[in-house]
Amino acid sequence: MSKPLTVWDLPREEYLAPGHRMCQGCGAAIAFRHILKATGKDVIITMPTSCGEITSTVYPHTAWRVPWIHVAFENAAAVASGIAAGIEALKRKGFIPKDKDIKVVAIGGDGGTFDIGFQALSGTLERGDNVLYICYDNEAYMNTGIQRSGATPLGAWTTTTPVGKVWRGEWRPKKRKDLIAVAIAHNVPYAATANPAFPVDLYMKVKKALSIKGPKVIHVLSPCVPGWRIEPEKSVEVGKLAVLTGMWINYEYENGTYRVTTPVPKRKPVREYLRLQGRFRHLTDEEIKKIQELVDAEVARINKLVGKEVIGPVEG
Amino acid sequence: MSLPGWKQLPIGAVILTPGSSVEYKTGEWRTLRPEIDQEKCIRCRTCWMYCPEGAIQEVEEPYKTKTGREFKLTYKVDYDYCKGCGICANECPVKAITMVEEVI
Ligand SMILES: Cc1ncc(C[n+]2csc(CCOP(=O)(O)OP(=O)(O)O)c2C)c(N)n1
Ligand code: SF4
Ligand code: SF4
Ligand code: SF4
Ligand SMILES: [Mg+2]
């Protein structure tokens, strides 16, 4: 394997202009900056309606310094597939040089990926289209005011999973839909998870995905200030804690092999991640224990897939 | 900023100027302002890496501290766009950034 990248490998060029209206401290904004550093300028982005879309393209302005198209909630992946096919056709007809490498990247929210755009995503993956699909996951429908999605974690308060005596936030008792497993079930050559609190890792994964032909999926955790009820300066800290507690595991899958890219020899209890966020404030010890059990099970599953204990036990 | 009428708009409301959001100065959102102590800063790039606005600029400007340490780079905040989130101050490993209240 080549030398691991460091922060000094991140290019200085910015393809996401300032002046966008993402909230103070938005994790998605950090992710977009580094995704674009990895794609470089020869890329076409498709984006369904989402926070990322409404805040970056408030008419008559755009924050994107690369070609970018807004599409419906359902079809970011389908439009990306169409663009990839169009590029191929234009190459065949000689309008674009055959060796010009133009990347096609769809970036959708968790609502646009886990729920509404799921069918289009499945189509892109199943046909083997040369598209990188990135889901930035703030774990709810944020831009319409914090409604639950298929990605909302157990216990999280949202406006549609309220908190009281009967409702205790998100109710789904099991682990949420596993986007990476879904991608792998479509026989993709590459799939990974990432997190803007680890930008070098995110950058490396986008670069690597783009070097591989065919459909690729990257699932990016995206701390959200109003939706998670966190202080704006804490979004990176919360992103780091997600990994240090095992709530989120940074890993990649490449042609049958799993690799954890941020090993955690000793885990912190999930409580440390939960307690910084107002959306989990109501949780009782009993409820936190249930979340800890879900995390322990997922850690064990990933360790097994990797073949060794890369994520250690909870300390203290 | 004056807005064009609908007849002047490009078909499909296509935006023809990449990165034109720079015309919108989000610095006005700020209530706290980050100030970098150039004497303390060890030029680690962390604040530059994490700023959601890309408002920390990395400039090729040499700096020599009072204790004689020399650096090739200087990190500066672009106050036109900094929203004052405080991530840079929270993440700086040597606490070289302080958030101070904006006074008008
Ligand atoms: C078919 C359809 N249903 C509903 C909407 C309204 N809508 C726009 S964005 C959005 C939520 C997006 O959630 P997500 O994809 O998670 O992105 P986020 O805003 O959280 O970043 C909704 C419900 C829509 N535009 N189209
Ligand atoms: S609501 Fe959340 S995801 Fe949306 S712009 Fe604000 S911080 Fe970012
Ligand atoms: S306060 Fe936030 S927006 Fe301002 S420079 Fe620091 S990280 Fe960037
Ligand atoms: S994070 Fe702190 S030490 Fe590092 S470059 Fe920024 S101000 Fe300097
Ligand atoms: Mg969302």
Side-chain angles (χ1 to χ4, degrees):
Chain A
M1 231 188 62
S2 51
K3 217 164 100 252
L5 299 180
T6 74
V7 62
W8 298 101
D9 291 304
L10 300 171
R12 202 177 281 169
E13 285 76 28
E14 296 288 347
Y15 295 105
L16 184 76
H20 62 72
R21 322 292 208 270
M22 279 166 259
C23 304
Q24 290 174 312
C26 173
I30 307 173
F32 294 170
R33 275 185 64 217
H34 294 287
I35 289 167
L36 290 178
K37 284 177 190 290
T39 62
K41 65 176 176 38
D42 291 332
V43 65
I44 300 173
I45 310 271
T46 73
M47 189 177 264
T49 180
S50 56
C51 272
E53 182 264 330
I54 56 159
T55 57
S56 66
T57 56
V58 181
Y59 200 79
H61 294 145
T62 177
W64 301 83
R65 289 178 172 143
V66 297
W68 176 99
I69 181 170
H70 163 57
V71 300
F73 209 2
E74 298 84 348
N75 62 353
V79 173
S81 286
I83 293 170
I87 291 170
E88 281 314 305
L90 290 172
K91 281 185 179 173
R92 226 170 23 243
K93 292 183 178 170
F95 291 107
I96 301 177
K98 285 217 162 33
D99 55 356
K100 188 158 173 78
D101 184 18
I102 305 167
K103 292 124 188 159
V104 185
V105 179
I107 307 178
D110 50 299
T113 304
F114 280 66
D115 306 338
I116 316 280
F118 195 63
Q119 175 180 345
L121 173 62
S122 177
T124 293
L125 303 182
E126 170 272 319
R127 289 184 304 266
D129 297 337
N130 192 24
V131 165
L132 167 60
Y133 190 98
I134 300 177
C135 170
Y136 76 95
D137 180 4
N138 49 25
E139 303 189 323
Y141 292 73
M142 292 307 178
N143 102 67
T144 40
I146 323 175
Q147 294 85 23
R148 94 173 274 275
S149 78
T152 302
L154 178 64
W157 165 89
T158 68
T159 55
T160 50
T161 52
V163 172
K165 282 209 188 82
V166 178
W167 280 79
R168 303 294 300 160
E170 172 57 39
W171 43 268
R172 183 194 330 95
K174 294 185 192 136
K175 169 181 131 170
R176 64 205 189 132
K177 198 186 284 188
D178 185 338
L179 186 65
I180 299 301
V182 165
I184 293 169
H186 286 76
N187 296 314
V188 299
Y190 185 83
T193 61
N195 173 332
F198 300 81
V200 181
D201 182 63
L202 168 63
Y203 173 84
M204 178 277 287
K205 284 165 176 165
V206 175
K207 277 258 180 223
K208 188 188 256 192
L210 290 170
S211 73
I212 298 166
K213 214 172 154 52
K216 289 85 52 178
V217 174
I218 301 182
H219 182 195
V220 182
L221 183 71
S222 200
C224 167
V225 173
W228 294 13
R229 297 288 192 253
I230 55 178
E231 297 301 326
E233 76 271 19
K234 296 279 184 196
S235 56
V236 168
E237 194 177 321
V238 167
K240 285 182 187 166
L241 274 170
V243 167
L244 296 176
T245 57
M247 279 294 292
W248 184 265
I249 301 173
N250 280 338
Y251 69 100
E252 63 181 2
Y253 164 89
E254 199 179 353
N255 295 320
T257 307
Y258 292 80
R259 188 170 77 91
V260 169
T261 55
T262 318
V264 184
K266 275 186 181 163
R267 260 186 296 152
K268 290 178 186 292
V270 292
R271 183 186 297 275
E272 292 195 24
Y273 170 73
L274 303 173
R275 78 183 166 81
L276 283 184
Q277 305 174 52
R279 65 175 172 155
F280 293 118
R281 188 170 24 222
H282 57 281
L283 294 178
T284 61
D285 287 351
E286 199 51 39
E287 287 163 334
I288 291 175
K289 197 165 149 252
K290 176 86 188 108
I291 296 173
Q292 183 69 61
E293 281 165 16
L294 285 179
V295 170
D296 293 347
E298 179 63 4
V299 165
R301 187 184 77 90
I302 295 289
N303 280 337
K304 199 168 165 210
L305 286 171
V306 175
K308 59 175 188 262
E309 198 189 72
V310 268
I311 313 279
V314 179
E315 66 173 3
Chain B
M1 188 179 73
S2 72
L3 295 175
W6 68 269
K7 283 184 187 160
Q8 283 113 44
L9 296 178
I11 291 171
V14 172
I15 303 173
L16 300 165
T17 318
S20 57
S21 62
V22 293
E23 286 175 32
Y24 188 89
K25 305 280 167 70
T26 51
E28 285 177 18
W29 295 17
R30 196 174 54 241
T31 53
L32 295 173
R33 108 197 232 113
E35 285 183 356
I36 303 179
D37 182 343
Q38 298 299 341
E39 288 290 309
K40 273 196 195 166
C41 169
I42 54 167
R43 276 70 182 169
C44 71
R45 227 184 187 196
T46 302
C47 53
W48 171 88
M49 175 172 81
Y50 282 131
C51 175
E53 317 307 318
I56 302 240
Q57 293 168 333
E58 180 176 70
V59 288
E60 305 276 344
E61 200 178 285
Y63 186 86
K64 192 172 172 182
T65 66
K66 291 193 185 100
T67 54
R69 260 186 105 172
E70 287 185 54
F71 295 104
K72 290 199 188 83
L73 296 172
T74 301
Y75 291 87
K76 291 183 174 173
V77 179
D78 185 343
Y79 293 110
D80 277 350
Y81 301 105
C82 162
K83 291 174 186 165
C85 68
I87 290 178
C88 52
N90 200 53
E91 299 304 324
C92 174
V94 294
K95 298 279 163 245
I97 307 180
T98 332
M99 301 302 291
V100 296
E101 213 160 308
E102 285 283 3
V103 274
I104 310 161

